Amino acid sequence: MDIKGITLYPEMNTKIKDILRLGNDPVCLYAAARIEQLEKELERYQNFPEDKQYSGLLEE
């Protein structure tokens, strides 16, 4: 993925999360948790049936 000239790599997210968790800084811990949350949401979205991805019609 490329955003404003920055290429994003999933492997780097893992390293960044590990670095963020080294200390007890609440902001860093929050950022690591948010990265994980976004990864889960992206995975869930990518697993939606293709015909329902954009329509909002996914049935639980």
Side-chain angles (χ1 to χ4, degrees):
M1 180 180 270
D2 188 352
I3 298 178
K4 296 185 181 184
I6 298 173
T7 302
L8 304 175
Y9 301 97
E11 304 83 20
M12 190 58 127
N13 287 344
T14 301
K15 292 178 182 180
I16 291 170
K17 289 185 293 186
D18 291 343
I19 292 168
L20 290 170
R21 289 197 171 105
L22 287 176
N24 287 323
D25 180 358
V27 173
C28 291
L29 296 174
Y30 178 91
R34 183 64 175 141
I35 291 169
E36 284 184 344
Q37 181 185 36
L38 291 171
E39 289 172 332
K40 289 176 186 174
E41 288 178 22
L42 178 60
E43 182 180 338
R44 181 174 176 234
Y45 174 78
Q46 289 174 334
N47 290 326
F48 280 176
E50 190 171 325
D51 62 331
K52 295 182 180 180
Q53 282 186 2
Y54 305 107
S55 67
L57 299 175
L58 182 68
E59 298 171 9
E60 300 281 334

